[in-house]
Amino acid sequence: MGLLDRFKKVKDGLSRTRSTLVERVTKAISKKAKIDDALIDEIEESLLSSDVGFDATERIISDIRARVKAEGYEDASVLKSLLKEEISKYLAMPDGTQTSAGKPHVIMIVGVNGVGKTTTVGKLSYNFRNDGKRVLIAAADTFRAAANEQLKIWADRAGVEIVQQEPGTDPGAVAYDAVSAAKARDVDVVLIDTAGRLHTKTNLMEELKKVRRVVQKVIPEAPHEVFLVLDAVTGQNGLVQARQFLEAAGVTGIVLTKLDGTAKGGIVIAISQELKLPVKYIGVGEGIDDLQPFKRETFVDALFAESQD
Amino acid sequence: MFEQISEKFEGIFRRLSGQARITDENISDAVREVRRALLEGDVNYKVARQFTEDVQKVAVGKDVAKSLNPGQVFVKIVYDEMVKVLGGATSELELTQEIPNVVMIAGLQGSGKTTFAAKLANHLRSKGRYPLLVACDVHRPAAIDQLETLGQQLGIPVYSERGASAVDIASKSIDYARKNARDIAIIDTAGRLHVDEEMMREAEGVKDAVKPHRILFVVDSMTGQDAVNTAQEFNRRLNFDGVVLTKLDGDARGGAAMSIRSVVQKPIKFVSLGEKLDQLEVFHPDRMASRILGMGDVVTLVEKVQEQVDEKNAARLEQRLKKNEFTLEDFRDQLRQIKKMGPLKDVLSMIPGVSGAIRNATIDEKALVRIEAMINSMTISEREKPHIIDGRRRKRIAAGSGTTVQDINRLLKQFSEMQRMFKTLSKGKFGRAALANMRFPL
């Protein structure tokens, strides 16, 4: 897939987000020549309706107001680029994946129930394999009915190795076996799929810590990355989830899934603001190749690109 | 559930309660705070605006400043409006006499349809029905396996076919239900995005093929502003009958409930609260509004207690309490009943005033298990007369229960405090002070 195609896919995926946020902003702006309170109120509503959240929206709006005042903007058309800059500012963080010195690079996938963790593991393994990496999946969701079967199907599709055990097995044990096997087999990337858990369940969050500890017995600096999978439809609870998973599992990045619907995933802006957690990937479809590396510029550009279709 | 909104409102009303009367200014402050709380609780911004406008209209129209505490008047207004928006009264899932009754379940990916389907089957069976689960999710890998596993756990039959289309499976399942004397077919469909034309058409196809008596739309309580778009589109395509709110055992504020209810005007039927298959409850708008307003969910708590407490046992316990004969053995019975009510945190969060403090506290559910183990390691006479437990016995009990002598000491001390409290209680001096001093021996 060429770079251009990838861009188009992100854009298509985000086109509905764009249609609400940008069209509304554009519409609001086109009605007025001058910047006034009513116009800024409308922009505030667009942000709120994108799940950016009350506090983050307030911050963005007050920054915009301040800039309008300080830099003496009057023309309404400038608001769009101001908004784009402000959002970029809050998403400002280094792109690119960490690479670890040794092998294997261990990535743990965590999140609440139903956000698409298993699917993300499947897509990630496909991406890594396409990059010529040898991949092994650890099926550490030993709780949900048929999670093993689902993951096996993804592993087969992606053509990667998988380590599984009986349902009900201790997830730590599965992770340990998988990482040990990966080390022995000279695997490049290990993806640990974990069971969905609400961040309010203390014992299940403790279990994640245990999986981390167990993995560290094999490779002291593992897991190298921990991705929190977040459903784009998630509202303000996403921030609470991110805080809790950061605390318990040491999350290093976010995978934002299901961006192909009308949900906007604006909560990642609030998460970036508060926790400085970067978005690593976005899911824009159900196909195995529909997981895209997140690029801030592409994301914001796609968000604000003029409608072509 | 909804604890965070409750907490916010508690704060607002505390401020308002301190004032002698409502002025235009202080009510607009409160209204703005209500709007903010709603937005932070994922209530759709249009719905939130409508709601706050309504509340303000009602509040200003009423002569509230004269006699009553303005804060309480405002709470009542917000509460009443909230109940109204959430649907007014409880709405049960009505089924017809037809056999089989067909219930179709639809929603986005990951909203919890399959788990809910199994829970609903379990719920209906407990009401004397004979449900059949129908696995129509032919898209997600291993979705059929998942429902089959859940069916097996419950001992409820699951109908499916590998390689068939969703519409075919659904159609054939009705015949199957009839032939196998199942009076309700619960059709689990694949998760789909409401903008996925092909998948929405499949859902319509299933609907046309089996003419379900009821269609339930499942939505994750963590859903944000988009809940409205999704619900509207599913409603337009399927004209569903009711809504199911899932994952309410988390701390999401669940504003989606309010958004969906006010936008599509369809009742919320069930709330789903966990991964265990019996964690399904009928939705009660009044209770939910109480929770939102920080009044606690006493009714649900009482019902839970009633469900678990066996009348005869309760009567015996009352006698014993009156005679001040409450023993460790009785205490263990109580612990077992509490355990049956579900996670302690859920139970405690229903008590008014507790919710805020509890939410952040870590409750060690295993403490109950440890206490039970300690009591189990005592002899019958030790349970009846704890004062005979000397140092030697303490060592033995600690060894037997895998605890320490300190644990035993703590248990015995707290138990004797409890006994003292019950003594006061039986003398009828059970007031706030006694309640405040009551400590759960954890």
Side-chain angles (χ1 to χ4, degrees):
Chain A
M1 182 185 274
L3 204 66
L4 218 65
D5 291 339
R6 280 191 178 231
F7 178 76
K8 186 167 182 329
K9 202 134 201 180
V10 178
K11 232 179 78 178
D12 287 349
L14 287 168
S15 64
R16 290 174 199 96
T17 308
R18 186 160 42 100
S19 69
T20 5
L21 184 61
V22 173
E23 274 169 21
R24 285 188 48 143
V25 171
T26 312
K27 219 169 96 195
I29 289 168
S30 65
K31 279 190 294 189
K32 313 211 171 181
K34 294 251 182 285
I35 298 172
D36 59 15
D37 280 355
L39 181 55
I40 290 183
D41 280 353
E42 281 196 53
I43 289 174
E44 184 182 354
E45 280 196 350
S46 318
L47 291 172
L48 287 174
S49 72
S50 309
D51 288 318
V52 173
F54 194 89
D55 290 335
T57 298
E58 215 166 51
R59 234 166 286 157
I60 293 171
I61 291 295
S62 74
D63 286 356
I64 285 182
R65 275 188 201 280
R67 284 188 60 183
V68 166
K69 210 175 157 196
E71 293 163 42
Y73 295 120
E74 280 184 7
D75 195 349
S77 61
V78 78
L79 268 184
K80 207 157 113 182
S81 59
L82 279 186
L83 190 55
K84 202 164 143 180
E85 278 174 41
E86 288 304 315
I87 291 180
S88 298
K89 193 176 87 189
Y90 286 125
L91 283 170
M93 49 193 55
D95 288 335
T97 326
Q98 285 97 310
T99 39
S100 40
K103 275 187 191 178
H105 184 74
V106 180
I107 303 176
M108 199 167 140
I109 311 292
V110 300
V112 301
N113 315 67
V115 288
K117 282 177 300 304
T118 303
T119 307
T120 298
V121 168
K123 291 174 176 178
L124 270 177
S125 66
Y126 175 83
N127 282 4
F128 282 120
R129 203 185 147 257
N130 264 8
D131 291 342
K133 300 272 199 292
R134 182 165 175 185
V135 183
L136 184 140
I137 294 175
D141 179 357
T142 55
F143 178 78
R144 182 166 59 91
N148 259 346
E149 287 85 341
Q150 186 184 352
L151 198 57
K152 181 80 177 71
I153 294 170
W154 277 109
D156 290 346
R157 280 186 194 169
V160 302
E161 295 160 66
I162 183 165
V163 169
Q164 299 187 299
Q165 283 180 29
E166 287 298 297
T169 315
D170 176 47
V174 180
Y176 184 87
D177 283 358
V179 176
S180 308
K183 216 174 159 185
R185 295 184 209 166
D186 202 28
V187 162
D188 298 303
V189 181
V190 182
L191 294 166
I192 305 175
D193 184 28
T194 63
R197 66 202 71 221
L198 287 178
H199 50 287
T200 49
K201 312 266 156 144
T202 318
N203 52 341
L204 293 178
M205 296 304 274
E206 286 298 319
E207 187 186 271
L208 283 183
K209 291 185 190 166
K210 186 183 166 192
V211 172
R212 277 189 72 106
R213 283 197 302 273
V214 167
V215 168
Q216 276 157 3
K217 281 187 188 157
V218 190
I219 302 171
E221 60 274 22
H224 305 87
E225 292 185 272
V226 179
F227 292 160
L228 171 68
V229 181
L230 207 62
D231 186 330
V233 305
T234 310
Q236 300 312 299
N237 195 245
L239 186 56
V240 187
Q241 289 173 27
R243 275 188 212 127
Q244 300 291 327
F245 277 98
L246 178 65
E247 202 265 320
V251 170
T252 60
I254 289 176
V255 178
L256 187 61
T257 60
K258 307 185 200 174
L259 263 177
D260 44 334
T262 50
K264 300 145 194 95
I267 190 65
V268 297
I269 295 171
I271 294 173
S272 295
Q273 263 191 24
E274 187 187 309
L275 303 171
K276 314 280 176 263
L277 275 178
V279 182
K280 290 281 186 176
Y281 294 92
I282 58 172
V284 292
E286 295 197 85
I288 197 163
D289 56 351
D290 285 333
L291 190 74
Q292 311 289 338
F294 175 86
K295 290 272 178 281
R296 176 166 57 100
E297 310 308 330
T298 320
F299 186 84
V300 179
D301 276 351
L303 202 66
F304 286 92
E306 297 296 336
S307 203
Q308 292 166 349
D309 26 359
Chain B
M1 55 186 103
F2 285 95
E3 279 91 351
Q4 284 157 306
I5 283 189
S6 312
E7 212 170 66
K8 278 261 146 56
F9 281 175
E10 268 173 43
I12 299 165
F13 296 140
R14 218 176 296 128
R15 255 178 285 154
L16 201 64
S17 300
Q19 312 207 10
R21 43 186 67 212
I22 288 183
T23 65
D24 275 346
E25 198 189 33
N26 65 18
I27 197 173
S28 79
D29 273 359
V31 165
R32 201 177 312 131
E33 285 299 314
V34 169
R35 176 169 176 268
R36 181 197 175 114
L38 295 175
L39 285 172
E40 285 181 344
D42 290 323
V43 173
N44 181 269
Y45 74 100
K46 283 184 196 152
V47 175
R49 191 170 51 202
Q50 185 62 48
F51 181 78
T52 47
E53 275 170 15
D54 290 349
V55 165
Q56 190 154 12
K57 239 179 267 165
V58 176
V60 168
K62 264 186 195 155
D63 189 10
V64 288
K66 287 236 167 97
S67 55
L68 282 159
N69 178 330
Q72 280 173 7
V73 174
F74 192 67
V75 173
K76 179 84 169 70
I77 293 166
V78 177
Y79 170 80
D80 287 348
E81 286 300 309
M82 189 86 81
V83 173
K84 228 191 279 171
V85 174
L86 287 170
T90 297
S91 165
E92 300 260 2
L93 181 70
E94 299 123 19
L95 296 166
T96 65
Q97 290 304 309
E98 211 168 318
I99 289 181
N101 249 255
V102 182
V103 180
M104 176 176 164
I105 294 161
L108 294 177
Q109 288 96 337
S111 51
K113 286 174 301 303
T114 303
T115 306
F116 168 70
K119 286 182 176 183
L120 179 64
N122 186 41
H123 170 82
L124 291 171
R125 182 176 58 184
S126 75
K127 303 224 155 187
R129 295 281 194 151
Y130 296 89
L132 171 72
L133 284 161
V134 183
C136 280
D137 181 354
V138 295
H139 301 279
R140 180 164 62 92
I144 295 177
D145 297 323
Q146 187 185 352
L147 193 62
E148 279 175 348
T149 310
L150 295 174
Q152 249 165 37
Q153 283 171 16
L154 291 169
I156 290 174
V158 176
Y159 180 83
S160 193
E161 263 176 63
R162 260 84 176 169
S165 75
V167 174
D168 279 350
I169 298 171
S171 311
K172 286 188 195 159
S173 74
I174 308 300
D175 270 344
Y176 180 91
R178 220 170 267 137
K179 282 185 192 134
N180 290 276
R182 309 308 294 185
D183 58 7
I184 291 180
I186 299 169
I187 300 187
D188 180 31
T189 63
R192 63 202 77 223
L193 282 170
H194 53 295
V195 292
D196 188 334
E197 185 53 35
E198 202 181 308
M199 289 296 285
M200 289 307 279
R201 233 179 275 142
E202 184 206 80
E204 287 172 327
V206 171
K207 182 186 175 182
D208 288 347
V210 299
K211 307 264 178 309
H213 300 85
R214 294 286 172 251
I215 301 176
L216 295 176
F217 173 63
V218 179
V219 66
D220 186 327
S221 58
M222 294 179 266
T223 308
Q225 299 285 320
D226 199 50
V228 165
N229 300 332
T230 318
Q232 271 174 330
E233 187 58 14
F234 269 90
N235 193 42
R236 190 176 73 80
R237 306 293 288 252
L238 298 174
N239 188 21
F240 56 74
D241 301 280
V243 179
V244 179
L245 209 54
T246 59
K247 307 181 204 171
L248 264 173
D249 47 331
D251 57 359
R253 304 176 200 175
M258 197 166 154
S259 309
I260 294 175
R261 186 65 183 77
S262 51
V263 170
V264 299
Q265 299 289 324
K266 294 286 169 73
I268 299 160
K269 299 281 188 187
F270 293 103
V271 295
S272 180
L273 309 132
E275 295 187 84
K276 286 197 193 126
L277 295 174
D278 57 355
Q279 291 169 322
L280 184 72
E281 289 174 12
V282 171
F283 178 77
H284 293 274
D286 47 345
R287 294 181 201 177
M288 197 63 94
S290 300
R291 293 190 79 118
I292 295 172
L293 297 172
M295 297 171 180
D297 190 359
V298 179
V299 191
T300 303
L301 179 63
V302 170
E303 261 181 17
K304 267 195 190 250
V305 174
Q306 275 169 349
E307 253 172 49
Q308 300 302 341
V309 173
D310 144 17
E311 293 286 330
K312 244 197 271 168
N313 253 334
R316 206 196 54 189
L317 179 70
E318 205 185 318
Q319 275 317 65
R320 284 172 154 276
L321 279 177
K322 271 192 187 142
K323 291 191 202 147
N324 201 21
E325 282 172 359
F326 186 73
T327 66
L328 278 161
E329 185 117 12
D330 299 316
F331 183 49
R332 187 180 59 175
D333 285 348
Q334 295 305 301
L335 286 180
R336 286 179 177 164
Q337 282 178 354
I338 291 172
K339 255 171 40 189
K340 275 195 274 176
M341 283 194 272
L344 208 50
K345 197 165 178 168
D346 294 357
V347 176
L348 288 175
S349 69
M350 289 176 203
I351 304 171
V354 170
S355 54
I358 287 291
R359 219 189 47 251
N360 300 317
T362 307
I363 293 171
D364 186 3
E365 304 278 347
K366 286 217 179 85
L368 291 188
V369 180
R370 273 199 297 275
I371 292 172
E372 201 183 321
M374 287 188 249
I375 301 177
N376 285 344
S377 296
M378 296 175 189
T379 64
I380 290 174
S381 58
E382 282 167 348
R383 289 176 209 163
E384 310 242 306
K385 291 175 263 183
H387 62 267
I388 66 168
I389 304 177
D390 56 16
R392 209 165 45 88
R393 287 177 190 257
R394 283 175 205 227
K395 257 189 216 153
R396 193 204 76 239
I397 296 164
S401 57
T403 56
T404 64
V405 172
Q406 285 81 0
D407 290 331
I408 311 286
N409 291 344
R410 203 177 314 131
L411 171 68
L412 291 174
K413 183 158 173 273
Q414 281 164 343
F415 179 72
S416 84
E417 273 172 19
M418 251 170 102
Q419 269 184 322
R420 249 204 320 278
M421 201 194 72
F422 284 134
K423 213 186 259 170
T424 339
L425 191 139
S426 60
K427 282 179 191 152
K429 284 188 238 157
F430 187 56
R432 258 175 186 274
L435 199 66
N437 290 330
M438 180 167 169
R439 276 220 322 269
F440 212 84
L442 297 178

